[in-house]
Amino acid sequence: MAQSTKSNSVLRHVVMFGWNSGTDQAHIDKVVKAFGALQGKISLIKDFEWGVNNSPEKLNQGLTHCFFVTFHSEADRDAYLIHPDHQAFVALLNPAPDIEDESKASAGGTVEIVKKNANKVVSITFIFYPLNSSVYD
């Protein structure tokens, strides 16, 4: 696919979390800290950003936290997904898996909607191009 081979593109893995009401804030903080720590453990991660929903529109459907993990390529992202430190982080999210996984393709990336226990996790990957770049060259 021509879009994924452009040298000036970046791949952003977008992960969004929603927590059950009553989830302990200390647990949420532990997950956020552990996710952020992955950049120091996995050199394939080129950038990491995160934030919380503050939209007055209330269209977040229970999703409260958003994380951007940036890679240079699909191969880097794929290696990150199976990296032992990433797998340890995933285990922190869900020590007793009760997974309902529905995956589907979307324009610009792959979408995986995964319900782990009663928390909501959405994982999406997009390829981003600089504004001055023509995606269709």
Side-chain angles (χ1 to χ4, degrees), residues 43-113:
S43 63
L44 299 167
I45 298 173
K46 299 307 173 197
D47 195 22
F48 176 84
E49 299 174 76
W50 74 277
V52 295
N53 179 55
N54 77 344
S55 174
E57 297 175 300
K58 304 208 183 300
L59 299 174
N60 59 309
Q61 299 181 11
L63 297 168
T64 57
H65 290 68
C66 181
F67 304 85
F68 288 164
V69 186
T70 303
F71 303 95
H72 282 302
S73 68
E74 292 175 31
D76 287 353
R77 185 265 331 267
D78 293 347
Y80 155 83
L81 290 173
I82 60 172
H83 191 283
D85 287 318
H86 177 259
Q87 292 300 307
F89 170 72
V90 170
L92 172 68
L93 290 176
N94 192 22
D98 177 16
I99 299 173
E100 186 182 312
D101 185 353
E102 67 181 86
S103 298
K104 58 189 173 201
S106 75
T110 336
V111 178
E112 296 173 49
I113 301 171

Side-chain angles (χ1 to χ4, degrees), residues 1 6 15 20 25-26 31 69 79 81 97 105:
M1 170 184 270
K6 293 189 70 76
V15 179
N20 293 329
Q25 185 62 46
V31 168
V69 186
L81 290 173

Side-chain angles (χ1 to χ4, degrees), residues 2-3 6 129-130 133-137:
Q3 289 182 348
K6 293 189 70 76
Y129 302 96
S133 171
S134 174
V135 174
Y136 302 104
D137 285 347

